[in-house]
Amino acid sequence: MDDARIVVGMSGGVDSAVAAFLLKEKYSDIVGVFMNNWKETDNGICTTEQDYDDVRSVCAMLDIPYYTVDFSGEYMDRVFSHFLYEYKNGRTPNPDILCNREIKFKSFLKFAEKLGAKKIATGHYARIDESGGKFRLLKARDKSKDQSYFLCELGQDALSRTVFPLGETEKTEVRDIAASQGFVNATKKDSTGICFIGERNFRSFLSQYLPAQNGDIYSTGGELVGRHSGLMYYTLGQRKGLGIGGKGSGEPWFVVRKDLEANRLIVQQGKDSTLLYSSALVTESFNWISGEAPEKVDFECTAKFRYRQPDQQVRVRRNGDRLEIEFLQKQRAVTPGQYAVLYDGEICLGGGVIKEVML
RNA sequence: UGGGGUGUAGCCAAGCGGUAAGGCACGGGACUUUGACUCCCGCAUUCGUAGGUUCAAAUCCUGCCACCCCAG
């Protein structure tokens, strides 16, 4: 039994509740902390009250103290402002990876220190192992829930002070444990949508922060095929929301390019739109979880370009901080602003923002 | 106002006397801690309109309306 204090981040969902429960096997001094990182500015449905109630209920059953902490200022400055900046520039950001780096594994970690804790824990599905003072991030045992992709920006400092109690646990077991413990959130639906902001109408949400500018939609053949309501509402490979019907072959249309200069959306018809398939990408800065780039400048490994994508074989060429990642199989809709995350089998090597994509 | 053609859901489009295919779009749901993709479900009691024939019409007949084309 470890009597050093550990702080567990609790969202109100089943995962973090069960994570806290599992910690009781090894830790005697556990503190639950609920993070409130988003201030409602509209009169949307506020689920944070309910979530906090659930945290209270679970902590009471576990007989552990709990606190709530507000990082909404940090979230706005270090995550959301960047999120908006990226959209404004035509890219498609991944705020949750940044949120992990900046909030959960930075601000929250510091907060835990102030509470006298040596370590923090979260309900992420991923594993950490250590050997000779080196920490590695590994995929979760439950491959269908593995969230290592979202943790690709972490480093040695964060990993050395983090515990992921659910790393070896299947999601179904998590539900079973929650049920057997009688947790109020045992059957609560998993939350999705941007972390802390939640699920909401993407268009109306974004429009509150960025001005939308209508424009034309052109086919790759140069034909005017429709109107768009603002480039920021679309991402590469997107089908929904184009409103183009009855034209051409009858197949659906997909976004293949955003022309910011002309405020035009370029679309192509058919699933096998060749312009959607790329063969390589470039990241300009890359976070190596080990803390240092591998010695080899040219090597093969696997990669993911989006969450829950099967591993893809790639060849990496390293040029300082710049990485060129070549795909052995062409990839559909690899999008600037998203992350390329490298893996060596179970090991998550790290990730970087996709800067440009080559056909 | 001579000739020909076409009018089926938001768009494209089957149907040619037996009681409205399909696709796209759209809406809802599933999946999902980004954005997407994908999957599932829904989506014309009605076929430009008014009559007529028929047991039965979107399908046949007639008038009208609209649009298109060729002539003028």
Side-chain angles (χ1 to χ4, degrees), chain A residues 217-221 223 225 238-239 242 244-256 266-277 332:
Chain A
I217 302 180
Y218 277 84
S219 70
T220 50
E223 185 194 353
V225 290
Q238 183 168 330
R239 167 179 176 175
L242 294 173
I244 307 169
K247 286 195 160 64
S249 66
E251 292 173 286
W253 295 76
F254 298 90
V255 175
V256 298
I266 313 299
V267 298
Q268 193 170 47
Q269 190 165 34
K271 269 235 66 175
D272 33 76
S273 318
T274 52
L275 290 174
L276 265 185
Y277 284 83
R332 183 178 185 280

mmCIF file of all heavy atoms in Angstrom, chain A residues 217-221 223 225 238-239 242 244-256 266-277 332, chain B residues 11-12 23-25:
data_model
loop_
_atom_site.group_PDB
_atom_site.id
_atom_site.type_symbol
_atom_site.label_atom_id
_atom_site.label_comp_id
_atom_site.label_asym_id
_atom_site.label_seq_id
_atom_site.Cartn_x
_atom_site.Cartn_y
_atom_site.Cartn_z
ATOM 1 N N ILE A 217 -19.091 26.925 -53.924
ATOM 2 C CA ILE A 217 -18.534 25.579 -53.931
ATOM 3 C C ILE A 217 -18.301 25.214 -55.391
ATOM 4 O O ILE A 217 -19.216 25.289 -56.211
ATOM 5 C CB ILE A 217 -19.502 24.546 -53.315
ATOM 6 C CG1 ILE A 217 -19.854 24.923 -51.877
ATOM 7 C CG2 ILE A 217 -18.875 23.152 -53.358
ATOM 8 C CD1 ILE A 217 -20.803 23.948 -51.193
ATOM 9 N N TYR A 218 -17.054 24.870 -55.701
ATOM 10 C CA TYR A 218 -16.711 24.478 -57.062
ATOM 11 C C TYR A 218 -16.295 23.021 -57.111
ATOM 12 O O TYR A 218 -15.686 22.509 -56.171
ATOM 13 C CB TYR A 218 -15.547 25.331 -57.588
ATOM 14 C CG TYR A 218 -15.987 26.667 -58.133
ATOM 15 C CD1 TYR A 218 -16.179 27.752 -57.281
ATOM 16 C CD2 TYR A 218 -16.237 26.830 -59.494
ATOM 17 C CE1 TYR A 218 -16.605 28.978 -57.772
ATOM 18 C CE2 TYR A 218 -16.657 28.062 -59.999
ATOM 19 C CZ TYR A 218 -16.841 29.130 -59.139
ATOM 20 O OH TYR A 218 -17.258 30.338 -59.627
ATOM 21 N N SER A 219 -16.617 22.384 -58.225
ATOM 22 C CA SER A 219 -16.156 21.019 -58.411
ATOM 23 C C SER A 219 -14.709 21.110 -58.874
ATOM 24 O O SER A 219 -14.241 22.169 -59.294
ATOM 25 C CB SER A 219 -16.987 20.311 -59.472
ATOM 26 O OG SER A 219 -16.693 20.857 -60.748
ATOM 27 N N THR A 220 -14.005 19.981 -58.824
ATOM 28 C CA THR A 220 -12.618 20.001 -59.278
ATOM 29 C C THR A 220 -12.566 20.279 -60.778
ATOM 30 O O THR A 220 -11.540 20.685 -61.303
ATOM 31 C CB THR A 220 -11.930 18.648 -58.986
ATOM 32 O OG1 THR A 220 -12.768 17.608 -59.467
ATOM 33 C CG2 THR A 220 -11.701 18.468 -57.504
ATOM 34 N N GLY A 221 -13.706 20.067 -61.441
ATOM 35 C CA GLY A 221 -13.771 20.345 -62.868
ATOM 36 C C GLY A 221 -14.007 21.822 -63.151
ATOM 37 O O GLY A 221 -14.083 22.234 -64.307
ATOM 38 N N GLU A 223 -16.685 23.612 -62.135
ATOM 39 C CA GLU A 223 -18.096 23.980 -62.255
ATOM 40 C C GLU A 223 -18.625 24.457 -60.902
ATOM 41 O O GLU A 223 -18.326 23.874 -59.859
ATOM 42 C CB GLU A 223 -18.903 22.754 -62.717
ATOM 43 C CG GLU A 223 -20.360 23.056 -62.986
ATOM 44 C CD GLU A 223 -21.206 21.780 -63.101
ATOM 45 O OE1 GLU A 223 -20.613 20.680 -63.108
ATOM 46 O OE2 GLU A 223 -22.431 21.890 -63.170
ATOM 47 N N VAL A 225 -21.037 24.411 -58.196
ATOM 48 C CA VAL A 225 -22.036 23.392 -57.841
ATOM 49 C C VAL A 225 -22.834 23.710 -56.588
ATOM 50 O O VAL A 225 -23.771 22.989 -56.242
ATOM 51 C CB VAL A 225 -21.388 21.995 -57.683
ATOM 52 C CG1 VAL A 225 -20.937 21.450 -59.023
ATOM 53 C CG2 VAL A 225 -20.221 22.045 -56.712
ATOM 54 N N GLN A 238 -15.046 15.666 -45.904
ATOM 55 C CA GLN A 238 -16.402 15.810 -45.383
ATOM 56 C C GLN A 238 -17.453 15.689 -46.473
ATOM 57 O O GLN A 238 -17.287 16.191 -47.574
ATOM 58 C CB GLN A 238 -16.542 17.166 -44.682
ATOM 59 C CG GLN A 238 -17.903 17.391 -44.049
ATOM 60 C CD GLN A 238 -17.907 18.602 -43.134
ATOM 61 O OE1 GLN A 238 -16.886 18.950 -42.538
ATOM 62 N NE2 GLN A 238 -19.051 19.255 -43.017
ATOM 63 N N ARG A 239 -18.531 15.015 -46.132
ATOM 64 C CA ARG A 239 -19.627 14.798 -47.069
ATOM 65 C C ARG A 239 -20.865 15.610 -46.681
ATOM 66 O O ARG A 239 -21.496 16.254 -47.513
ATOM 67 C CB ARG A 239 -19.962 13.307 -47.056
ATOM 68 C CG ARG A 239 -21.262 12.965 -47.736
ATOM 69 C CD ARG A 239 -21.493 11.462 -47.699
ATOM 70 N NE ARG A 239 -22.779 11.142 -48.276
ATOM 71 C CZ ARG A 239 -23.205 9.905 -48.466
ATOM 72 N NH1 ARG A 239 -22.445 8.888 -48.119
ATOM 73 N NH2 ARG A 239 -24.386 9.682 -48.991
ATOM 74 N N LEU A 242 -22.963 19.747 -47.542
ATOM 75 C CA LEU A 242 -22.653 20.407 -48.802
ATOM 76 C C LEU A 242 -23.928 20.798 -49.548
ATOM 77 O O LEU A 242 -23.953 21.783 -50.277
ATOM 78 C CB LEU A 242 -21.787 19.497 -49.685
ATOM 79 C CG LEU A 242 -20.382 19.206 -49.137
ATOM 80 C CD1 LEU A 242 -19.679 18.178 -49.988
ATOM 81 C CD2 LEU A 242 -19.587 20.506 -49.100
ATOM 82 N N ILE A 244 -25.341 19.403 -52.028
ATOM 83 C CA ILE A 244 -25.314 19.240 -53.473
ATOM 84 C C ILE A 244 -26.055 17.952 -53.830
ATOM 85 O O ILE A 244 -25.651 16.866 -53.452
ATOM 86 C CB ILE A 244 -23.870 19.128 -54.007
ATOM 87 C CG1 ILE A 244 -23.047 20.307 -53.511
ATOM 88 C CG2 ILE A 244 -23.882 19.070 -55.530
ATOM 89 C CD1 ILE A 244 -21.557 20.143 -53.763
ATOM 90 N N GLY A 245 -27.112 18.100 -54.598
ATOM 91 C CA GLY A 245 -27.873 16.910 -54.966
ATOM 92 C C GLY A 245 -28.278 16.919 -56.416
ATOM 93 O O GLY A 245 -28.540 17.972 -56.997
ATOM 94 N N GLY A 246 -28.339 15.733 -57.007
ATOM 95 C CA GLY A 246 -28.856 15.621 -58.367
ATOM 96 C C GLY A 246 -27.876 15.967 -59.466
ATOM 97 O O GLY A 246 -28.262 16.041 -60.631
ATOM 98 N N LYS A 247 -26.622 16.163 -59.095
ATOM 99 C CA LYS A 247 -25.652 16.526 -60.128
ATOM 100 C C LYS A 247 -24.750 15.343 -60.486
ATOM 101 O O LYS A 247 -24.513 14.470 -59.666
ATOM 102 C CB LYS A 247 -24.786 17.684 -59.637
ATOM 103 C CG LYS A 247 -25.526 19.014 -59.640
ATOM 104 C CD LYS A 247 -24.538 20.171 -59.494
ATOM 105 C CE LYS A 247 -25.132 21.468 -59.975
ATOM 106 N NZ LYS A 247 -26.291 21.878 -59.149
ATOM 107 N N GLY A 248 -24.252 15.367 -61.688
ATOM 108 C CA GLY A 248 -23.253 14.379 -62.101
ATOM 109 C C GLY A 248 -23.707 12.936 -62.000
ATOM 110 O O GLY A 248 -24.831 12.595 -62.360
ATOM 111 N N SER A 249 -22.822 12.113 -61.498
ATOM 112 C CA SER A 249 -23.053 10.671 -61.477
ATOM 113 C C SER A 249 -24.082 10.240 -60.436
ATOM 114 O O SER A 249 -24.504 9.092 -60.430
ATOM 115 C CB SER A 249 -21.740 9.954 -61.184
ATOM 116 O OG SER A 249 -21.314 10.269 -59.866
ATOM 117 N N GLY A 250 -24.467 11.143 -59.562
ATOM 118 C CA GLY A 250 -25.413 10.759 -58.533
ATOM 119 C C GLY A 250 -24.728 10.304 -57.256
ATOM 120 O O GLY A 250 -25.379 10.078 -56.248
ATOM 121 N N GLU A 251 -23.417 10.202 -57.285
ATOM 122 C CA GLU A 251 -22.688 9.811 -56.081
ATOM 123 C C GLU A 251 -22.555 11.027 -55.173
ATOM 124 O O GLU A 251 -22.679 12.164 -55.619
ATOM 125 C CB GLU A 251 -21.285 9.319 -56.462
ATOM 126 C CG GLU A 251 -21.275 8.003 -57.226
ATOM 127 C CD GLU A 251 -19.868 7.675 -57.707
ATOM 128 O OE1 GLU A 251 -19.400 8.316 -58.663
ATOM 129 O OE2 GLU A 251 -19.250 6.791 -57.106
ATOM 130 N N PRO A 252 -22.276 10.783 -53.892
ATOM 131 C CA PRO A 252 -22.103 11.916 -52.976
ATOM 132 C C PRO A 252 -20.830 12.704 -53.280
ATOM 133 O O PRO A 252 -19.919 12.215 -53.929
ATOM 134 C CB PRO A 252 -22.035 11.254 -51.602
ATOM 135 C CG PRO A 252 -21.659 9.845 -51.855
ATOM 136 C CD PRO A 252 -22.249 9.501 -53.184
ATOM 137 N N TRP A 253 -20.790 13.920 -52.772
ATOM 138 C CA TRP A 253 -19.655 14.815 -52.983
ATOM 139 C C TRP A 253 -18.871 14.951 -51.691
ATOM 140 O O TRP A 253 -19.441 14.905 -50.615
ATOM 141 C CB TRP A 253 -20.149 16.197 -53.421
ATOM 142 C CG TRP A 253 -20.838 16.213 -54.743
ATOM 143 C CD1 TRP A 253 -22.108 15.787 -54.995
ATOM 144 C CD2 TRP A 253 -20.293 16.651 -55.994
ATOM 145 N NE1 TRP A 253 -22.385 15.945 -56.339
ATOM 146 C CE2 TRP A 253 -21.295 16.475 -56.970
ATOM 147 C CE3 TRP A 253 -19.062 17.191 -56.381
ATOM 148 C CZ2 TRP A 253 -21.103 16.806 -58.313
ATOM 149 C CZ3 TRP A 253 -18.865 17.523 -57.714
ATOM 150 C CH2 TRP A 253 -19.887 17.328 -58.667
ATOM 151 N N PHE A 254 -17.562 15.139 -51.835
ATOM 152 C CA PHE A 254 -16.701 15.279 -50.663
ATOM 153 C C PHE A 254 -15.788 16.485 -50.822
ATOM 154 O O PHE A 254 -15.361 16.807 -51.932
ATOM 155 C CB PHE A 254 -15.833 14.025 -50.493
ATOM 156 C CG PHE A 254 -16.629 12.769 -50.247
ATOM 157 C CD1 PHE A 254 -17.053 11.980 -51.308
ATOM 158 C CD2 PHE A 254 -16.979 12.392 -48.952
ATOM 159 C CE1 PHE A 254 -17.809 10.824 -51.081
ATOM 160 C CE2 PHE A 254 -17.728 11.242 -48.722
ATOM 161 C CZ PHE A 254 -18.138 10.454 -49.789
ATOM 162 N N VAL A 255 -15.499 17.113 -49.689
ATOM 163 C CA VAL A 255 -14.578 18.253 -49.705
ATOM 164 C C VAL A 255 -13.174 17.740 -49.982
ATOM 165 O O VAL A 255 -12.700 16.832 -49.296
ATOM 166 C CB VAL A 255 -14.575 18.964 -48.333
ATOM 167 C CG1 VAL A 255 -13.529 20.069 -48.307
ATOM 168 C CG2 VAL A 255 -15.955 19.512 -48.020
ATOM 169 N N VAL A 256 -12.504 18.302 -50.980
ATOM 170 C CA VAL A 256 -11.124 17.895 -51.235
ATOM 171 C C VAL A 256 -10.126 19.028 -50.984
ATOM 172 O O VAL A 256 -8.943 18.788 -50.830
ATOM 173 C CB VAL A 256 -10.911 17.350 -52.664
ATOM 174 C CG1 VAL A 256 -11.756 16.102 -52.881
ATOM 175 C CG2 VAL A 256 -11.218 18.393 -53.713
ATOM 176 N N ILE A 266 -13.625 23.371 -52.558
ATOM 177 C CA ILE A 266 -13.474 22.554 -53.756
ATOM 178 C C ILE A 266 -13.926 21.140 -53.421
ATOM 179 O O ILE A 266 -13.446 20.543 -52.443
ATOM 180 C CB ILE A 266 -12.008 22.507 -54.242
ATOM 181 C CG1 ILE A 266 -11.402 23.915 -54.276
ATOM 182 C CG2 ILE A 266 -11.928 21.840 -55.612
ATOM 183 C CD1 ILE A 266 -12.094 24.885 -55.197
ATOM 184 N N VAL A 267 -14.839 20.626 -54.208
ATOM 185 C CA VAL A 267 -15.395 19.304 -53.922
ATOM 186 C C VAL A 267 -15.236 18.370 -55.120
ATOM 187 O O VAL A 267 -15.063 18.817 -56.253
ATOM 188 C CB VAL A 267 -16.900 19.394 -53.577
ATOM 189 C CG1 VAL A 267 -17.104 20.224 -52.330
ATOM 190 C CG2 VAL A 267 -17.691 19.978 -54.748
ATOM 191 N N GLN A 268 -15.273 17.089 -54.810
ATOM 192 C CA GLN A 268 -15.185 16.101 -55.870
ATOM 193 C C GLN A 268 -16.220 15.024 -55.588
ATOM 194 O O GLN A 268 -16.523 14.722 -54.442
ATOM 195 C CB GLN A 268 -13.766 15.503 -55.918
ATOM 196 C CG GLN A 268 -13.502 14.700 -57.182
ATOM 197 C CD GLN A 268 -12.027 14.325 -57.314
ATOM 198 O OE1 GLN A 268 -11.421 13.862 -56.372
ATOM 199 N NE2 GLN A 268 -11.462 14.522 -58.510
ATOM 200 N N GLN A 269 -16.721 14.452 -56.677
ATOM 201 C CA GLN A 269 -17.790 13.471 -56.526
ATOM 202 C C GLN A 269 -17.252 12.044 -56.467
ATOM 203 O O GLN A 269 -16.341 11.685 -57.204
ATOM 204 C CB GLN A 269 -18.759 13.600 -57.711
ATOM 205 C CG GLN A 269 -20.031 12.810 -57.558
ATOM 206 C CD GLN A 269 -21.087 13.243 -58.541
ATOM 207 O OE1 GLN A 269 -20.791 13.616 -59.659
ATOM 208 N NE2 GLN A 269 -22.345 13.196 -58.126
ATOM 209 N N GLY A 270 -17.862 11.255 -55.600
ATOM 210 C CA GLY A 270 -17.486 9.841 -55.533
ATOM 211 C C GLY A 270 -16.516 9.530 -54.413
ATOM 212 O O GLY A 270 -15.665 10.330 -54.066
ATOM 213 N N LYS A 271 -16.687 8.374 -53.830
ATOM 214 C CA LYS A 271 -15.847 7.942 -52.713
ATOM 215 C C LYS A 271 -14.376 7.855 -53.080
ATOM 216 O O LYS A 271 -13.501 8.068 -52.268
ATOM 217 C CB LYS A 271 -16.314 6.565 -52.237
ATOM 218 C CG LYS A 271 -17.338 6.629 -51.155
ATOM 219 C CD LYS A 271 -16.895 5.831 -49.944
ATOM 220 C CE LYS A 271 -15.670 6.437 -49.270
ATOM 221 N NZ LYS A 271 -15.247 5.803 -48.060
ATOM 222 N N ASP A 272 -14.106 7.468 -54.320
ATOM 223 C CA ASP A 272 -12.711 7.303 -54.703
ATOM 224 C C ASP A 272 -12.123 8.578 -55.299
ATOM 225 O O ASP A 272 -11.256 8.512 -56.151
ATOM 226 C CB ASP A 272 -12.569 6.134 -55.674
ATOM 227 C CG ASP A 272 -13.774 5.999 -56.567
ATOM 228 O OD1 ASP A 272 -13.914 6.790 -57.507
ATOM 229 O OD2 ASP A 272 -14.573 5.091 -56.293
ATOM 230 N N SER A 273 -12.614 9.703 -54.813
ATOM 231 C CA SER A 273 -12.053 10.992 -55.216
ATOM 232 C C SER A 273 -10.541 10.937 -55.040
ATOM 233 O O SER A 273 -10.051 10.929 -53.928
ATOM 234 C CB SER A 273 -12.588 12.107 -54.342
ATOM 235 O OG SER A 273 -13.953 11.945 -54.107
ATOM 236 N N THR A 274 -9.835 10.879 -56.127
ATOM 237 C CA THR A 274 -8.387 10.715 -56.046
ATOM 238 C C THR A 274 -7.704 11.825 -55.263
ATOM 239 O O THR A 274 -6.703 11.605 -54.602
ATOM 240 C CB THR A 274 -7.791 10.679 -57.457
ATOM 241 O OG1 THR A 274 -8.266 11.818 -58.173
ATOM 242 C CG2 THR A 274 -8.225 9.419 -58.179
ATOM 243 N N LEU A 275 -8.257 13.025 -55.318
ATOM 244 C CA LEU A 275 -7.615 14.143 -54.639
ATOM 245 C C LEU A 275 -7.683 14.041 -53.121
ATOM 246 O O LEU A 275 -7.083 14.837 -52.415
ATOM 247 C CB LEU A 275 -8.248 15.458 -55.093
ATOM 248 C CG LEU A 275 -7.930 15.837 -56.535
ATOM 249 C CD1 LEU A 275 -8.714 17.074 -56.926
ATOM 250 C CD2 LEU A 275 -6.433 16.085 -56.690
ATOM 251 N N LEU A 276 -8.415 13.073 -52.633
ATOM 252 C CA LEU A 276 -8.523 12.906 -51.193
ATOM 253 C C LEU A 276 -7.458 11.968 -50.655
ATOM 254 O O LEU A 276 -7.266 11.857 -49.453
ATOM 255 C CB LEU A 276 -9.890 12.327 -50.839
ATOM 256 C CG LEU A 276 -10.971 13.322 -50.472
ATOM 257 C CD1 LEU A 276 -12.216 12.583 -50.043
ATOM 258 C CD2 LEU A 276 -10.489 14.232 -49.360
ATOM 259 N N TYR A 277 -6.788 11.293 -51.564
ATOM 260 C CA TYR A 277 -5.797 10.323 -51.115
ATOM 261 C C TYR A 277 -4.392 10.905 -51.191
ATOM 262 O O TYR A 277 -3.982 11.417 -52.227
ATOM 263 C CB TYR A 277 -5.902 9.041 -51.946
ATOM 264 C CG TYR A 277 -7.100 8.223 -51.528
ATOM 265 C CD1 TYR A 277 -8.370 8.512 -52.032
ATOM 266 C CD2 TYR A 277 -6.975 7.221 -50.580
ATOM 267 C CE1 TYR A 277 -9.470 7.797 -51.605
ATOM 268 C CE2 TYR A 277 -8.070 6.506 -50.155
ATOM 269 C CZ TYR A 277 -9.313 6.791 -50.664
ATOM 270 O OH TYR A 277 -10.416 6.088 -50.235
ATOM 271 N N ARG A 332 -6.651 8.268 -46.920
ATOM 272 C CA ARG A 332 -7.757 9.153 -47.275
ATOM 273 C C ARG A 332 -7.912 10.291 -46.262
ATOM 274 O O ARG A 332 -7.898 10.057 -45.058
ATOM 275 C CB ARG A 332 -9.054 8.353 -47.317
ATOM 276 C CG ARG A 332 -10.244 9.172 -47.741
ATOM 277 C CD ARG A 332 -11.507 8.330 -47.805
ATOM 278 N NE ARG A 332 -12.619 9.100 -48.322
ATOM 279 C CZ ARG A 332 -13.340 9.954 -47.588
ATOM 280 N NH1 ARG A 332 -13.049 10.118 -46.334
ATOM 281 N NH2 ARG A 332 -14.331 10.634 -48.136
ATOM 282 P P C B 11 -36.807 20.823 -57.029
ATOM 283 O OP1 C B 11 -36.973 21.897 -58.023
ATOM 284 O OP2 C B 11 -37.792 19.729 -56.939
ATOM 285 O "O5'" C B 11 -35.368 20.171 -57.224
ATOM 286 C "C5'" C B 11 -34.259 20.975 -57.614
ATOM 287 C "C4'" C B 11 -33.064 20.074 -57.856
ATOM 288 O "O4'" C B 11 -32.797 19.310 -56.657
ATOM 289 C "C3'" C B 11 -33.251 19.008 -58.930
ATOM 290 O "O3'" C B 11 -33.021 19.526 -60.232
ATOM 291 C "C2'" C B 11 -32.196 17.982 -58.537
ATOM 292 O "O2'" C B 11 -30.907 18.392 -58.933
ATOM 293 C "C1'" C B 11 -32.293 18.027 -57.015
ATOM 294 N N1 C B 11 -33.198 16.996 -56.487
ATOM 295 C C2 C B 11 -32.730 15.686 -56.435
ATOM 296 O O2 C B 11 -31.596 15.433 -56.856
ATOM 297 N N3 C B 11 -33.539 14.715 -55.947
ATOM 298 C C4 C B 11 -34.766 15.020 -55.515
ATOM 299 N N4 C B 11 -35.513 14.031 -55.044
ATOM 300 C C5 C B 11 -35.264 16.347 -55.566
ATOM 301 C C6 C B 11 -34.458 17.300 -56.060
ATOM 302 P P C B 12 -33.754 18.808 -61.461
ATOM 303 O OP1 C B 12 -33.359 19.587 -62.645
ATOM 304 O OP2 C B 12 -35.178 18.613 -61.124
ATOM 305 O "O5'" C B 12 -33.065 17.371 -61.525
ATOM 306 C "C5'" C B 12 -31.752 17.231 -62.052
ATOM 307 C "C4'" C B 12 -31.318 15.796 -62.001
ATOM 308 O "O4'" C B 12 -31.351 15.309 -60.626
ATOM 309 C "C3'" C B 12 -32.187 14.769 -62.723
ATOM 310 O "O3'" C B 12 -31.988 14.762 -64.127
ATOM 311 C "C2'" C B 12 -31.653 13.481 -62.111
ATOM 312 O "O2'" C B 12 -30.388 13.146 -62.622
ATOM 313 C "C1'" C B 12 -31.513 13.896 -60.646
ATOM 314 N N1 C B 12 -32.707 13.526 -59.866
ATOM 315 C C2 C B 12 -32.830 12.189 -59.460
ATOM 316 O O2 C B 12 -31.946 11.389 -59.768
ATOM 317 N N3 C B 12 -33.932 11.807 -58.763
ATOM 318 C C4 C B 12 -34.873 12.697 -58.471
ATOM 319 N N4 C B 12 -35.936 12.277 -57.782
ATOM 320 C C5 C B 12 -34.771 14.076 -58.874
ATOM 321 C C6 C B 12 -33.683 14.438 -59.564
ATOM 322 P P G B 23 -31.059 4.166 -52.684
ATOM 323 O OP1 G B 23 -30.143 3.395 -51.819
ATOM 324 O OP2 G B 23 -32.249 4.836 -52.096
ATOM 325 O "O5'" G B 23 -30.231 5.274 -53.458
ATOM 326 C "C5'" G B 23 -29.105 4.899 -54.252
ATOM 327 C "C4'" G B 23 -28.606 6.097 -55.012
ATOM 328 O "O4'" G B 23 -29.627 6.541 -55.941
ATOM 329 C "C3'" G B 23 -28.339 7.335 -54.169
ATOM 330 O "O3'" G B 23 -27.081 7.276 -53.533
ATOM 331 C "C2'" G B 23 -28.379 8.430 -55.231
ATOM 332 O "O2'" G B 23 -27.202 8.456 -56.005
ATOM 333 C "C1'" G B 23 -29.556 7.956 -56.090
ATOM 334 N N9 G B 23 -30.821 8.532 -55.639
ATOM 335 C C8 G B 23 -31.828 7.922 -54.940
ATOM 336 N N7 G B 23 -32.835 8.727 -54.674
ATOM 337 C C5 G B 23 -32.456 9.939 -55.226
ATOM 338 C C6 G B 23 -33.134 11.189 -55.246
ATOM 339 O O6 G B 23 -34.238 11.490 -54.775
ATOM 340 N N1 G B 23 -32.384 12.164 -55.906
ATOM 341 C C2 G B 23 -31.151 11.950 -56.466
ATOM 342 N N2 G B 23 -30.594 13.006 -57.060
ATOM 343 N N3 G B 23 -30.511 10.798 -56.456
ATOM 344 C C4 G B 23 -31.216 9.844 -55.827
ATOM 345 P P C B 24 -26.896 7.982 -52.118
ATOM 346 O OP1 C B 24 -25.565 7.601 -51.618
ATOM 347 O OP2 C B 24 -28.101 7.731 -51.300
ATOM 348 O "O5'" C B 24 -26.877 9.529 -52.491
ATOM 349 C "C5'" C B 24 -25.848 10.056 -53.329
ATOM 350 C "C4'" C B 24 -26.177 11.483 -53.688
ATOM 351 O "O4'" C B 24 -27.426 11.517 -54.424
ATOM 352 C "C3'" C B 24 -26.443 12.412 -52.505
ATOM 353 O "O3'" C B 24 -25.244 12.879 -51.920
ATOM 354 C "C2'" C B 24 -27.204 13.531 -53.206
ATOM 355 O "O2'" C B 24 -26.337 14.365 -53.944
ATOM 356 C "C1'" C B 24 -28.097 12.742 -54.160
ATOM 357 N N1 C B 24 -29.408 12.456 -53.547
ATOM 358 C C2 C B 24 -30.341 13.504 -53.476
ATOM 359 O O2 C B 24 -30.031 14.608 -53.963
ATOM 360 N N3 C B 24 -31.543 13.290 -52.898
ATOM 361 C C4 C B 24 -31.831 12.087 -52.394
ATOM 362 N N4 C B 24 -33.031 11.931 -51.830
ATOM 363 C C5 C B 24 -30.899 11.006 -52.451
ATOM 364 C C6 C B 24 -29.708 11.231 -53.028
ATOM 365 P P A B 25 -25.223 13.203 -50.339
ATOM 366 O OP1 A B 25 -23.901 13.764 -50.035
ATOM 367 O OP2 A B 25 -25.722 12.031 -49.591
ATOM 368 O "O5'" A B 25 -26.329 14.352 -50.196
ATOM 369 C "C5'" A B 25 -26.068 15.653 -50.736
ATOM 370 C "C4'" A B 25 -27.285 16.527 -50.544
ATOM 371 O "O4'" A B 25 -28.412 15.968 -51.267
ATOM 372 C "C3'" A B 25 -27.790 16.664 -49.121
ATOM 373 O "O3'" A B 25 -27.056 17.624 -48.397
ATOM 374 C "C2'" A B 25 -29.224 17.130 -49.362
ATOM 375 O "O2'" A B 25 -29.266 18.501 -49.715
ATOM 376 C "C1'" A B 25 -29.613 16.277 -50.569
ATOM 377 N N9 A B 25 -30.251 15.033 -50.163
ATOM 378 C C8 A B 25 -29.716 13.771 -50.151
ATOM 379 N N7 A B 25 -30.542 12.858 -49.705
ATOM 380 C C5 A B 25 -31.689 13.562 -49.398
ATOM 381 C C6 A B 25 -32.934 13.169 -48.872
ATOM 382 N N6 A B 25 -33.238 11.910 -48.564
ATOM 383 N N1 A B 25 -33.877 14.132 -48.669
ATOM 384 C C2 A B 25 -33.568 15.400 -48.976
ATOM 385 N N3 A B 25 -32.430 15.892 -49.480
ATOM 386 C C4 A B 25 -31.527 14.911 -49.668
#
